[in-house]
Amino acid sequence: MYWFHGFAGSGKSAISLEIAKIYAGSGRLLASYFFFRNAGDRSGMARFAVTLASQLMAAVPSTASFIQAAVEAEPGLLTQGVSLATQLERLVYEPFRAAVKRGVIVKTLTKGPFVVVIDGLDECEDKRGVTDFIDHMLDYFKRHPSIPLRFFIASRVEEHIRTHLENDSVCLGNLNSHSAHEDIEMFLEGSFQAVSVNNRVIQEYVRAQGEWPTKSDMKQLVRHIKGSFVLASTVLKFIVQPATEEDPSTPMERLPLTLKINGLDPLYAQTLIRSQHLPHFRHIISTIALLKQPLPIVAISHLLCVEPFEIVHVLLNLQAIIHVPGIDEEGEVTLCHTSLRDFLTMENRSGQFFVPPSFHLHLSYHIFASVFEKSNGPAHDYGRGALSSHWRSFALSDASDLVEEIERFETCQRLHVRRIPYHAFLCSVVFSSLFLKGLDNVLYALTKSTNQLALTVESPDRRIRLWLEEALYYGVPDIFVCTIQFTEQTYETLKHDLQRASTAINAEVCFPNFIWPLARKAEYTSAVSRNSSPQTSLNWTGN
């Protein structure tokens, strides 16, 4: 194993990609996996072993029969029914070892061992999975020291990685110890030359004033960038970005300005200022920062109920820090570097641009509403899979007060008449909160969801029928037992709201699918034994 580490933006991913290309060219790339935070499967270990196994079969076809036999003997290998260590052992290591023993890849092995490239291991949000992977890999190589297989791992120095990889069995490579000044100077020179070919302002300046940037400018820039490729790329884009009405400065005027800005954070802030006055700016930026996986412009438009041109208007001024696809329907809006997400989600760094955890509440509502407004497409698919995750990120956050944020949310959403009534959303997600481990406001969740149920079914909105038929209660287990104590007054309130809901539903038509969640709520009242005590004890079993 070779652990290649360095600070954010030092070029680790570029080097990992190049190494993968080199070994693919010689036929010795067994597999590669590039982790990326907040990018769906790429931010976790759920598909890691299966992805490596799939690439293994493509690189060494003779392993297919061994993998197939393993899956037939143990179907849970493909569904995470077993541990990550078992998945890797049965689907990757053992099939490869069997192919080596059979001698079918002897010719390729004369060039050297096979390589697995893993980049951005620190971007994996499953820290326990990361340490399990490392520990099992170390153990496997200890048991099979002669197997012709090598792992190239690139990451930042995170403690849970360092403590497991810093040992005698792992070769270490510190990218920070290598000077990148010459490479960055070459990158800047080539980039400035390419930009000047189509930039009339730069061409006229050079014709009148001579060389730009000057050699002195380049030396100062390289020294200022301090070996960070992501900073070099961001600085370049900031300097040469088109002028706007709010920022009419030329590239020649911006270059000396960048020399006064230390690090990425001020550059991020300076760039975001260019669009902060535009409609929907905060919602668009907050959504892009918190999405679990990147989406196309049209999908973001459907989520937020904002016109695509309005999203493009905001993003075009931010291309120094955000990748904007050329086609609204295809390609995904992505951050140029994960450090931008870190910046936006840390208040002490981003200040006025801070994206609080409470925005997960607003994003959850937009996702919920989109499910009923478009029957297919990326926004709909994303909503089905990500709603529960976004709601949990809000409900279990220590940084926001659940009750206070929900009340504030209700005040804001009364203005959103185009979307499905927010009562349906709150009923679904707040009810599902009853089953979240660690939730403190259980009684609030019970009374709030029941009240929202009554308000929802009393609404004339035609989409409520779809909601009733869908029975969208996320994260509700098949069996759940809990005990809640509340006053007789609370009991009467619950009973009143449930009766309102029952009356409204019966006045319309019976929805068979809705009987399930309604019955669950009804069990709250039917299980209560009323007595003279001011406290009522409830034992509830749902199955």
Side-chain angles (χ1 to χ4, degrees), residues 18 290 345 414 473 510 527 535:
E18 190 64 23
L290 296 185
T345 54
R414 291 191 181 104
Y473 286 77
C510 179
Q535 293 288 324

Side-chain angles (χ1 to χ4, degrees), residues 60-345:
V60 184
S62 57
T63 61
S65 60
F66 299 109
I67 295 174
Q68 183 178 352
V71 172
E72 289 175 352
E74 205 168 351
L77 289 170
L78 298 181
T79 59
Q80 289 186 279
V82 298
S83 67
L84 176 63
T86 302
Q87 279 188 308
L88 289 167
E89 187 99 12
R90 303 276 198 278
L91 297 177
V92 181
Y93 299 148
E94 286 307 307
F96 177 73
R97 187 161 165 264
V100 172
K101 279 188 173 181
R102 185 180 282 184
V104 294
I105 52 176
V106 173
K107 185 175 180 181
T108 305
L109 288 174
T110 58
K111 303 176 185 177
F114 279 80
V115 172
V116 176
V117 174
I118 298 174
D119 180 71
L121 192 57
D122 57 292
E123 302 269 341
C124 179
E125 295 167 0
D126 181 5
K127 292 186 178 181
R128 175 65 182 274
V130 168
T131 56
D132 287 349
F133 157 63
I134 295 172
D135 290 343
H136 179 255
M137 180 171 52
L138 288 167
D139 175 68
Y140 189 81
F141 281 125
K142 189 175 181 179
R143 287 184 281 124
H144 306 285
S146 61
I147 190 169
L149 181 62
R150 304 290 182 267
F151 274 80
F152 177 90
I153 300 173
S155 77
R156 300 186 209 180
V157 182
E158 298 285 349
E159 192 64 13
H160 68 288
I161 297 175
R162 184 193 65 77
T163 53
H164 289 259
L165 280 179
E166 275 193 350
N167 63 65
D168 296 337
S169 301
V170 181
C171 296
L172 304 178
N174 184 0
L175 184 57
N176 300 341
S177 64
H178 298 275
S179 173
H181 285 188
E182 289 184 7
D183 292 327
I184 286 175
E185 184 174 5
M186 186 186 302
F187 162 73
L188 290 175
E189 286 178 348
S191 299
F192 278 123
Q193 287 175 8
V195 169
S196 64
V197 171
N198 298 310
N199 192 306
R200 289 283 302 277
V201 174
I202 295 177
Q203 291 171 4
E204 291 302 321
Y205 179 88
V206 170
R207 187 175 290 112
Q209 304 292 330
E211 183 184 38
W212 185 86
T214 65
K215 288 183 172 57
S216 175
D217 290 336
M218 288 298 293
K219 284 183 179 179
Q220 290 184 71
L221 266 180
V222 171
R223 194 180 308 119
H224 183 72
I225 287 167
K226 298 177 182 176
S228 170
F229 279 94
V230 68
L231 182 56
S233 176
T234 307
V235 162
L236 173 74
K237 292 173 183 176
F238 176 79
I239 292 172
V240 302
Q241 62 189 332
T244 64
E245 187 176 337
E246 292 71 31
D247 178 18
S249 58
T250 66
M252 285 64 69
E253 292 168 326
R254 288 195 208 106
L255 192 153
L257 176 63
T258 60
L259 297 175
K260 300 175 183 178
I261 299 176
N262 292 316
L264 282 168
D265 286 4
L267 266 178
Y268 288 152
Q270 192 74 28
T271 303
L272 290 167
I273 286 172
R274 293 165 60 89
S275 283
Q276 69 173 345
H277 64 287
L278 297 174
H280 312 296
F281 165 78
R282 185 160 293 281
H283 269 190
I284 292 169
I285 292 303
S286 299
T287 298
I288 293 170
L290 296 185
L291 283 174
K292 302 299 180 182
Q293 63 186 58
L295 293 174
I297 288 171
V298 164
I300 296 173
S301 165
H302 290 153
L303 275 186
L304 299 181
C305 208
V306 172
E307 292 293 337
F309 77 84
E310 294 180 291
I311 294 175
V312 172
H313 191 195
V314 169
L315 296 182
L316 285 182
N317 292 336
L318 309 179
Q319 292 186 87
I321 58 177
I322 294 176
H323 292 298
V324 182
I327 302 176
D328 293 353
E329 295 82 3
E330 299 176 9
E332 296 157 340
V333 178
T334 57
L335 307 179
C336 287
H337 198 264
T338 53
S339 59
L340 175 55
R341 181 177 290 108
D342 297 337
F343 167 79
L344 290 169
T345 54

Side-chain angles (χ1 to χ4, degrees), residues 29-47:
L29 179 67
L30 198 69
S32 64
Y33 201 98
F34 285 65
F35 287 98
F36 198 79
R37 199 179 313 151
N38 276 49
D41 290 336
R42 287 180 60 196
S43 63
M45 281 288 184
R47 305 291 298 168

